[in-house]
Amino acid sequence: MTERDRVRAGTSKGWIVAVAVIAAVVLCAAAWRGVSSRATAMAVLDRETRDLATPTVTVIHPKRGAPTEEIVLPGTLQAFTDAPIYARTSGYLKKRYVEMGDRVKSGQLLAEIDAPELEQQLQQARADLSTADANLRLAQVTSDRYQDLVRTESVSKQDADNATGALEVRGSAVQSARHNVRRLEQLQAFTRIYAPFSGVVTARNTDIGALIDPGASGGAARELFHIASVDRLRVFVNVPQVYARDARPGLEAYLRLAEFPGRSFMARLVRTAQTIDPGSRTLLAEFEAANPAGELLPGSYGEVHVKLPVPAATVVLPVNTLLFRAEGLRVATVRNGQQVVLAAITIGRDYGTEVEVVAGLDARDFVIVSPPDSLVDGQIVRTVQRAVNGTDGSAR
């Protein structure tokens, strides 16, 4: 074999080796690509499987409780002082000086009663007093004389004692007659009827010439006038038990009445019954409202708007965040961005669609809305935060 042939043979052999090496590299690359693609596909499938297995929940932040809360309660307006006026003596109504709706001052004369029989009884009592006084003076003179005669033994000691006893009896008779005169004088004073306090005459149930019977003889006494003091009014309100601890004297409120649209009248809590009515589970509270112009009428119905202080630590949640479990009331919160924690809470006031939470929750917590009953502590979830305007944020 010539040198040229040997070179050609070596060259052919090198090409075969090169082709084999290239083929092996191509086969290895294809095999690696297939394995890598399969691994990538398996990783994607695993991630998608885990994502599908992880529930997506909507979360919100609780609202902070307001420093004050306004409640509206029905109230009944009553006169600050309200009293029927009766007669204390019998007779006929001689004069009356007021009519229904008149304003009167304390001590103002309302009416006069004509009682001639009482006048005669008073004159007789005064005459009896004069007789008793005369008998007392005579007994005093007699007693003094007997005391002088006893010293000279002109009369017995028994006669002197009898004279002294008669003097004491006459003195008692004078006191009795004097008290009887005072009684009849007071009865005579009752023939003039005066207003016991300033106010408005809300009723007049008699007229001139009417027979006045105070009921002393067994008959039914009849109310002559009715007076109500309306410069200040009492407003009675039944406060629900849940708000009873906040109803303290000094609490301010305002009244609204249908006949005064757009107007408010200030009132202040002055006292409570200090006990819950077991029938209605309410606390009776009394407010006072100034009424200098007399615009508010006793007996009216009004709405009492009361601003109650609320503890600053409270938060408010919608009712669709609550979970009722055997161990008690819970809310599902999300900690560390993905882990579920079932938090025990204490409920305060119930507002219908929302509830007040007084313990167990913070305004910075993420709370799951409409949580599924299958949620458990430590479960991993994906969250979608609901914005304040109601739109949903991005998933995490």
Side-chain angles (χ1 to χ4, degrees):
M1 180 180 292
T2 62
E3 185 65 28
R4 187 175 181 180
D5 290 336
R6 286 197 296 272
V7 171
R8 286 179 178 177
T11 303
S12 299
K13 194 173 183 178
W15 275 103
I16 292 172
V17 172
V19 170
V21 171
I22 292 172
V25 170
V26 171
L27 289 174
C28 289
W32 178 83
R33 183 176 180 182
V35 172
S36 177
S37 176
R38 184 177 181 84
T40 302
M42 290 298 294
V44 171
L45 179 61
D46 182 64
R47 185 171 63 253
E48 290 179 351
T49 301
R50 283 188 283 105
D51 289 344
L52 290 176
T54 302
T56 300
V57 295
T58 303
V59 295
I60 61 171
H61 283 301
K63 294 190 302 184
R64 294 186 182 275
T68 60
E69 175 193 0
E70 181 178 294
I71 60 172
V72 181
L73 300 172
T76 301
L77 281 65
Q78 295 186 14
F80 191 82
T81 307
D82 186 273
I85 308 301
Y86 291 90
R88 290 291 306 276
T89 186
S90 301
Y92 291 91
L93 191 67
K94 180 180 180 181
K95 292 182 180 179
R96 63 172 178 83
Y97 301 97
V98 294
E99 185 55 89
M100 183 180 66
D102 290 349
R103 284 187 169 270
V104 296
K105 298 293 184 181
S106 178
Q108 180 177 334
L109 182 61
L110 304 180
E112 293 184 42
I113 298 175
D114 187 13
E117 294 179 355
L118 180 60
E119 179 65 28
Q120 295 299 321
Q121 292 175 5
L122 178 59
Q123 292 181 7
Q124 181 182 356
R126 287 171 176 168
D128 291 341
L129 177 59
S130 298
T131 301
D133 280 334
N135 290 334
L136 176 62
R137 290 192 297 271
L138 178 60
Q140 182 67 55
V141 171
T142 303
S143 176
D144 292 342
R145 286 177 179 174
Y146 269 83
Q147 293 301 323
D148 293 336
L149 293 173
V150 165
R151 296 188 188 95
T152 60
E153 297 183 354
S154 300
V155 295
S156 66
K157 186 74 165 70
Q158 180 66 41
D159 291 337
D161 291 340
N162 290 339
T164 302
L167 175 63
E168 293 177 355
V169 170
R170 298 302 183 184
S172 299
V174 168
Q175 292 297 325
S176 176
R178 183 174 291 116
H179 288 306
N180 189 40
V181 169
R182 291 176 181 173
R183 178 182 67 85
L184 294 172
E185 286 176 345
Q186 290 178 353
L187 283 176
Q188 187 183 45
F190 289 141
T191 60
R192 298 170 65 86
I193 301 173
Y194 298 93
F197 54 84
S198 299
V200 176
V201 179
T202 59
R204 175 186 61 80
N205 300 314
T206 188
D207 211 336
I208 296 174
L211 177 63
I212 306 301
D213 184 4
S217 59
R222 189 175 65 174
E223 174 184 304
L224 304 184
F225 302 96
H226 202 103
I227 299 179
S229 176
V230 297
D231 291 338
R232 284 186 299 166
L233 296 180
R234 304 180 192 266
V235 185
F236 290 95
V237 176
N238 290 309
V239 180
Q241 178 179 341
V242 68
Y243 302 110
R245 60 185 176 88
D246 297 320
R248 299 185 179 92
L251 188 67
E252 291 188 350
Y254 60 92
L255 305 174
R256 285 186 177 174
L257 287 79
E259 58 266 35
F260 298 102
R263 291 187 60 184
S264 300
F265 301 88
M266 296 303 300
R268 185 182 299 273
L269 179 61
V270 292
R271 61 185 62 86
T272 66
Q274 296 294 320
T275 183
I276 300 295
D277 182 4
S280 61
R281 304 300 179 190
T282 58
L283 173 70
L284 181 61
E286 180 185 333
F287 290 80
E288 281 189 12
N291 188 33
E295 296 177 294
L296 302 178
L297 302 180
S300 300
Y301 165 84
E303 291 182 344
V304 182
H305 295 248
V306 185
K307 290 185 179 293
L308 298 175
V310 177
T314 62
V315 294
V316 178
L317 281 177
V319 294
N320 61 350
T321 59
L322 304 180
L323 281 171
F324 297 91
R325 296 292 176 90
E327 59 271 22
L329 190 61
R330 299 288 188 271
V331 293
T333 62
V334 178
R335 308 283 170 84
N336 301 323
Q338 59 181 359
Q339 189 175 12
V340 174
V341 175
L342 298 182
I345 61 172
T346 303
I347 294 296
R349 299 176 176 89
D350 188 343
Y351 305 123
T353 59
E354 295 180 326
V355 293
E356 179 189 55
V357 179
V358 298
L361 204 61
D362 188 82
R364 295 169 293 181
D365 290 335
F366 289 97
V367 180
I368 299 176
V369 179
S370 300
D373 292 334
S374 58
L375 277 181
V376 295
D377 265 323
Q379 184 175 346
I380 303 301
V381 295
R382 297 175 67 245
T383 61
V384 177
Q385 185 173 358
R386 179 180 295 175
V388 177
N389 58 7
T391 60
D392 291 340
S394 58
R396 298 188 296 173

